Amino acid sequence: MGVNLWGCEGGKMGDKFYVKFLTIWTSPPSSLLSSTLHLPSASSPISNQDSQSRTLEVVSDSDLKFLIDNLDEKRNEDENWENVIDKKNNFLSYKAKCCKSKDRPLKYLSTAVFESCSPELLRDFYMDNDYRKQWDKTILDHVQLQVYTTSGVEIGRTLKKFPLLTPREYILAWRLWEGKDTTLYCFIKDCEHPSAPRQKKYVRVEYFRSGWQIRKGKFLVLPGRDASEIRMFHQEDAGLNVEMAKLAFAKGAWSFLCKMDNALRNYSSINHPPSTPSVSAATLIQKVPPDLDYRTDITSAVPTSVAYNDESRKKKLLRRPSKKFLAKALLLLGGVIYLCRAHSALGTKVTMACILTKLRKRDGSSRQSSHS
């Protein structure tokens, strides 16, 4: 199902209060529980025609449209969003915000930028659940349940541990798309599967909607950077207290992202085990429909710290005087100093001040003309 940015380790709060969670919501309304999809049984974990029409309803192009709509921040301007995190280091920039919904779980939007990383590497890292079990110690187990080769839908079961709480069980279906300029999408949602009956020793997560978009660094309005951006939307009910989990996320998400970044840097150098499924949603990636592909180039909100640093560099460069201006200033300044030595009257000093003021104005106007 891919790495979930909301699964993180919280820092210390008061005594050693460590919180590891996948996100944060109270129990959903009964109307939401009815949206869980039940899949028919399949004789093989890889299917191409059996119940294909039903599987298209699990994760469809309408879910992709839902994801694109929610990633478009201009469409969400009327909602009351609360900034949670905005941090960066030399390899990673990350920001996240949350919004309370009237009749649905709390939703999150996040933007992460990974330096020196291609979109394809970031996609493979996110979709490698076997590798995630090595670096994310909150994952107890993950197993692939079924893959539908025609639609590209994959279904899996994940167990996640929570300190002092019953482990959570996720039965999820997901699908990947590729748009123009190699923009990548993934949408994940809850479902039911006959190979994963409910067990009393786990709490089944009833509502889960999550998705991401990965694209090249050229979309970051910072040319020349070898970077990839992932933007994520997330809504989930894991049966946890909203405010406590939100606080734990704010305290622990950055450390989890740094840990994930370290795992990403090591990913390309490791030998991937042969147990990794040869057929998966990542190998059966679909094309973004033409009526949605035009929207894959929506401008993203660059993490504030990155944009600020780039803008400050531009301002510093603009404040530097040009060589031509310096040459003229030195020549005139030498003449003025000579006049001051010969005539120490107040009028000469006033003349010097006027000349310097004009030079500044000329330099400013010449810069404006060069930019226009």
Side-chain angles (χ1 to χ4, degrees), residues 88-102:
K88 69 166 293 186
N89 58 30
N90 293 333
F91 306 101
L92 170 69
S93 302
Y94 181 67
K95 72 172 183 177
K97 60 182 181 179
C98 66
C99 177
K100 290 183 178 179
S101 188
K102 185 177 180 181

Side-chain angles (χ1 to χ4, degrees), residues 139-237:
I139 302 297
L140 293 173
D141 189 31
H142 174 82
V143 61
Q144 183 190 82
L145 297 178
Q146 196 160 358
V147 179
Y148 292 88
T149 56
T150 304
S151 64
V153 173
E154 182 177 357
I155 301 166
R157 172 180 179 266
T158 300
L159 293 178
K160 191 173 180 67
K161 64 180 178 181
F162 290 71
L164 308 177
L165 296 174
T166 305
R168 265 51 178 175
E169 181 184 40
Y170 298 81
I171 310 300
L172 302 174
W174 57 93
R175 185 179 181 185
L176 276 75
W177 295 263
E178 182 176 358
K180 59 185 179 181
D181 297 318
T182 65
T183 301
L184 302 164
Y185 290 91
C186 178
F187 191 78
I188 313 161
K189 65 197 299 186
D190 59 273
C191 68
E192 296 285 342
H193 195 274
S195 299
R198 292 174 181 262
Q199 303 179 54
K200 291 183 179 180
K201 57 182 178 179
Y202 305 123
V203 174
R204 177 72 60 89
V205 173
E206 303 283 2
Y207 186 86
F208 190 99
R209 299 290 186 275
S210 186
W212 48 252
Q213 175 200 66
I214 295 177
R215 50 190 189 173
K216 292 180 180 178
K218 68 178 183 178
F219 289 102
L220 303 177
V221 201
L222 298 173
R225 289 178 61 194
D226 178 22
S228 292
E229 174 198 63
I230 180 164
R231 307 175 66 214
M232 177 171 280
F233 165 83
H234 189 84
Q235 260 187 317
E236 174 194 346
D237 187 333

Side-chain angles (χ1 to χ4, degrees), residues 97-319:
K97 60 182 181 179
C98 66
C99 177
K100 290 183 178 179
S101 188
K102 185 177 180 181
D103 56 350
R104 291 188 178 267
L106 195 70
K107 58 183 178 181
Y108 277 79
L109 281 177
S110 70
T111 302
V113 179
F114 294 89
E115 301 291 341
S116 303
C117 178
S118 68
E120 293 77 16
L121 176 63
L122 193 56
R123 175 203 61 198
D124 293 343
F125 171 76
Y126 262 71
M127 301 310 298
D128 195 329
N129 292 294
D130 288 326
Y131 181 57
R132 185 182 178 182
K133 288 188 290 185
Q134 298 178 31
W135 65 267
D136 186 356
K137 300 307 179 185
T138 68
I139 302 297
L140 293 173
D141 189 31
H142 174 82
V143 61
Q144 183 190 82
L145 297 178
Q146 196 160 358
V147 179
Y148 292 88
T149 56
T150 304
S151 64
V153 173
E154 182 177 357
I155 301 166
R157 172 180 179 266
T158 300
L159 293 178
K160 191 173 180 67
K161 64 180 178 181
F162 290 71
L164 308 177
L165 296 174
T166 305
R168 265 51 178 175
E169 181 184 40
Y170 298 81
I171 310 300
L172 302 174
W174 57 93
R175 185 179 181 185
L176 276 75
W177 295 263
E178 182 176 358
K180 59 185 179 181
D181 297 318
T182 65
T183 301
L184 302 164
Y185 290 91
C186 178
F187 191 78
I188 313 161
K189 65 197 299 186
D190 59 273
C191 68
E192 296 285 342
H193 195 274
S195 299
R198 292 174 181 262
Q199 303 179 54
K200 291 183 179 180
K201 57 182 178 179
Y202 305 123
V203 174
R204 177 72 60 89
V205 173
E206 303 283 2
Y207 186 86
F208 190 99
R209 299 290 186 275
S210 186
W212 48 252
Q213 175 200 66
I214 295 177
R215 50 190 189 173
K216 292 180 180 178
K218 68 178 183 178
F219 289 102
L220 303 177
V221 201
L222 298 173
R225 289 178 61 194
D226 178 22
S228 292
E229 174 198 63
I230 180 164
R231 307 175 66 214
M232 177 171 280
F233 165 83
H234 189 84
Q235 260 187 317
E236 174 194 346
D237 187 333
L240 305 179
N241 177 271
V242 175
E243 294 302 323
M244 180 61 71
K246 186 168 70 172
L247 178 60
F249 172 77
K251 296 291 184 182
W254 176 244
S255 62
F256 179 83
L257 261 292
C258 292
K259 182 179 180 181
M260 187 178 77
D261 183 65
N262 290 333
L264 172 63
R265 305 300 165 184
N266 296 327
Y267 183 66
S268 58
S269 61
I270 65 170
N271 293 321
H272 300 286
S275 59
T276 302
S278 58
V279 179
S280 66
T283 63
L284 301 170
I285 189 167
Q286 308 292 297
K287 289 293 182 182
V288 174
D291 59 329
L292 294 176
D293 206 18
Y294 77 96
R295 295 186 55 194
T296 61
D297 58 352
I298 55 177
T299 304
S300 71
V302 183
T304 306
S305 51
V306 176
Y308 174 79
N309 289 340
D310 188 65
E311 191 65 28
S312 62
R313 280 193 220 105
K314 291 180 180 178
K315 288 181 178 179
K316 285 181 181 179
L317 289 173
L318 288 174
R319 283 199 296 265

Side-chain angles (χ1 to χ4, degrees), residues 58-110:
V58 183
V59 183
S60 64
D61 290 340
S62 61
D63 292 309
L64 175 61
K65 182 180 184 302
F66 171 81
L67 173 62
I68 294 174
D69 287 343
N70 279 277
L71 290 177
D72 189 351
E73 297 191 26
K74 292 181 180 178
R75 288 173 170 259
N76 302 319
E77 288 179 348
D78 57 335
E79 296 179 309
N80 187 21
W81 288 90
E82 176 186 350
N83 293 322
V84 181
I85 300 173
D86 188 353
K87 291 188 176 184
K88 69 166 293 186
N89 58 30
N90 293 333
F91 306 101
L92 170 69
S93 302
Y94 181 67
K95 72 172 183 177
K97 60 182 181 179
C98 66
C99 177
K100 290 183 178 179
S101 188
K102 185 177 180 181
D103 56 350
R104 291 188 178 267
L106 195 70
K107 58 183 178 181
Y108 277 79
L109 281 177
S110 70

